[in-house]
Amino acid sequence: MTYSTSEGLFVILITLVGMGTLLALTRKTPWHKMDIFLLILTGIFYLLDTVWWWFDLHFYWSDIYFTFGKHREQLTIFFILAGISFGILMVLRLKRKTRQH
């Protein structure tokens, strides 16, 4: 399961733009310590995912394989954890944003 560098960098760009857009939607919501912790945690997991892809590291515990259409795809556990921590961050911020109005 190898991706070209341009494909990998494109996925990284799209993910970062998407995350930045979602954070921009909640820019007027005050930041709490939990928000900052979750954002740092998301960054660490996302950085680990990028390192795993860049150096082509594959271990039985770090990769999850699935089939999408006729293509075999993989996700690292770090990408999933980054998604979960970012999802929790967005839920907390959106909840707080709706309470402000």
Side-chain angles (χ1 to χ4, degrees), residues 38-91:
L38 286 169
L39 186 62
I40 290 170
L41 194 63
T42 299
I44 290 169
F45 285 140
Y46 196 69
L47 180 64
L48 283 170
D49 176 65
T50 303
V51 167
W52 244 244
W53 165 73
W54 193 265
F55 292 106
D56 204 22
L57 302 173
H58 301 288
F59 301 104
Y60 70 91
W61 56 267
S62 67
D63 296 335
I64 297 171
Y65 295 94
F66 64 96
T67 302
F68 183 73
K70 294 182 180 180
H71 301 283
R72 188 168 186 221
E73 303 290 341
Q74 77 181 39
L75 290 174
T76 67
I77 192 71
F78 302 116
F79 188 79
I80 294 168
L81 292 172
I84 290 170
S85 61
F86 187 74
I88 293 169
L89 169 66
M90 289 310 300
V91 166

Side-chain angles (χ1 to χ4, degrees), residues 3-18:
Y3 295 99
S4 69
T5 302
S6 60
E7 287 174 323
L9 293 175
F10 180 72
V11 168
I12 291 169
L13 174 70
I14 293 298
T15 305
L16 292 176
V17 167

Side-chain angles (χ1 to χ4, degrees), residues 22-32 35 93-94 96-98 100-101:
L22 289 173
L23 285 173
L25 293 174
T26 62
R27 68 185 171 276
K28 294 183 180 178
T29 306
W31 285 83
H32 291 173
D35 297 345
R93 290 187 59 76
L94 288 171
R96 227 176 295 124
K97 183 178 180 179
T98 56
Q100 286 180 343
H101 294 290

